[in-house]
Amino acid sequence: MLTALAGGVGAARFLAGLVRAVPPASVTAIVNTADDEEFHGLHVSPDLDSVTYTLAGASNTAQGWGLEGETFATLAALARFDVDTWFGLGDKDLATHLYRTQRLRAGASLSTVTAEIARAWDVPVKLVPMTDDRVRTRVAVRDPDRELAMQEWFVRERAEPEVRSVRFEGAAAARPAPGVIDALTGADAVLICPSNPVISIGPILAVPGIVEALRARRDRVVGISPIVGGAPVRGPADRLMGPLGIEVSCVGVARAYTQFCGTLVIDAVDAHRAGEVEAAGVNAVVADTMMHSPEVAAALARRALAAVA
């Protein structure tokens, strides 16, 4: 059994490669839900949906999120009423959010609904939210000093305001979703996907019990650096890591993960920094981490698994 910590587009692409390298049914993905937000009365889970759509072969590969062939007629109609429509919800995508919201309001847990949505999309991987409790990423910014919800900072503000700090509201009181700890303690290997260390992996680690479970399995935990050549492959990781005192490099990722991650896969571009990664107490493995195709992602997954075989 394999377990992955996942959040964002990078994780979705890596998981699409992983299921080419191993039997999909052997994989459990623990997915970040601190990005979840309510839009137009609907519960939206961006990371869960990105992973679901990608593994279902239905995602918009060009933009990395949403569904292929999506239309936005509903948002255009809402705009007539002077409603904020800065968060793009497509017409087909709305069906997922409508179903999720209805089931949650009926009393179902997020983990139960996530499993139902995954089955409806014929996703063979077991998808589990990090928690069924409410955890939300809050980003404090400067000029002017204020605190924004993660989606406000990332989407509405285009990740432009300078970051002062990040907190995970509700994390201290949250509990891991059913099956999360068992998936971590029982896995042959735990993979930390090439996701934003601060706002994708950070919230998962903030749920009590998860870091402790990883520390106990540290020699079986392998991460894939989302930073290549001193810059994120995509997304705003650099705008978050630097202000929070994390070097924007594979070395910075290694230092941030060292307590619970025994091995880090870094790109060939950063091979010259392998010694610094190992000086941080993390084994360094060099591979092609630029997932230009599912085949490359599958090769990356095999390389990561070989490191802890």
Side-chain angles (χ1 to χ4, degrees), residues 5 189-194 201 205 210-226 250-266 277-285 304 307-308:
L5 305 188
V190 178
L191 299 160
I192 303 177
C193 294
I201 301 301
L205 302 176
I210 291 182
V211 165
E212 292 78 4
L214 290 172
R215 284 176 182 158
R217 305 294 313 284
R218 183 179 183 276
D219 62 332
R220 309 299 300 169
V221 179
V222 54
I224 296 90
S225 176
C250 61
V251 178
V253 175
R255 291 170 181 160
Y257 288 176
T258 185
Q259 292 186 17
F260 52 82
C261 179
T263 301
L264 184 69
V265 181
I266 64 175
V277 170
E278 300 203 333
V282 180
N283 296 326
V285 172
V308 291

Side-chain angles (χ1 to χ4, degrees), residues 11 31-32 42 46 49 85 103 108 143 148 150 169-170 179-180 196 209 237 240 247 267 273 288-289:
V31 184
N32 168 45
L42 301 178
D49 293 340
T85 57
R103 292 287 290 124
D143 301 324
L148 302 172
M150 203 290 292
E169 182 179 83
V180 165
N196 188 311
L240 292 153
E247 180 183 325
D267 193 79
R273 304 206 68 179
D288 180 1
T289 66

Side-chain angles (χ1 to χ4, degrees), residues 55-56 117-125:
L55 291 176
I117 292 172
R119 282 196 298 272
W121 281 98
D122 294 323
V123 172
V125 169

Side-chain angles (χ1 to χ4, degrees), residues 9-33:
V9 175
R13 289 180 174 173
F14 177 76
L15 290 170
L18 179 62
V19 298
R20 287 171 169 251
V22 301
S26 70
V27 178
T28 297
I30 300 169
V31 184
N32 168 45
T33 56

Side-chain angles (χ1 to χ4, degrees), residues 157-215:
E157 306 286 329
R158 302 180 183 274
E160 292 176 357
E162 182 185 355
V163 174
R164 181 162 44 88
S165 63
V166 175
R167 69 184 182 94
F168 306 117
E169 182 179 83
R175 297 159 298 171
V180 165
I181 298 301
D182 287 345
L184 294 172
T185 58
D188 297 314
V190 178
L191 299 160
I192 303 177
C193 294
S195 303
N196 188 311
V198 178
I199 57 172
S200 291
I201 301 301
I204 301 175
L205 302 176
V207 176
I210 291 182
V211 165
E212 292 78 4
L214 290 172
R215 284 176 182 158

Side-chain angles (χ1 to χ4, degrees), residues 109-130:
S109 67
L110 182 59
S111 53
T112 295
V113 180
T114 297
E116 292 171 354
I117 292 172
R119 282 196 298 272
W121 281 98
D122 294 323
V123 172
V125 169
K126 183 177 182 180
L127 299 185
V128 184
M130 64 188 198

Side-chain angles (χ1 to χ4, degrees), residues 43 54 87 121 131 158 173 208 221 238 270 291 297:
H43 185 115
T54 299
F87 193 85
W121 281 98
T131 180
R158 302 180 183 274
V221 179
D238 53 337
D270 293 314
M291 297 177 289

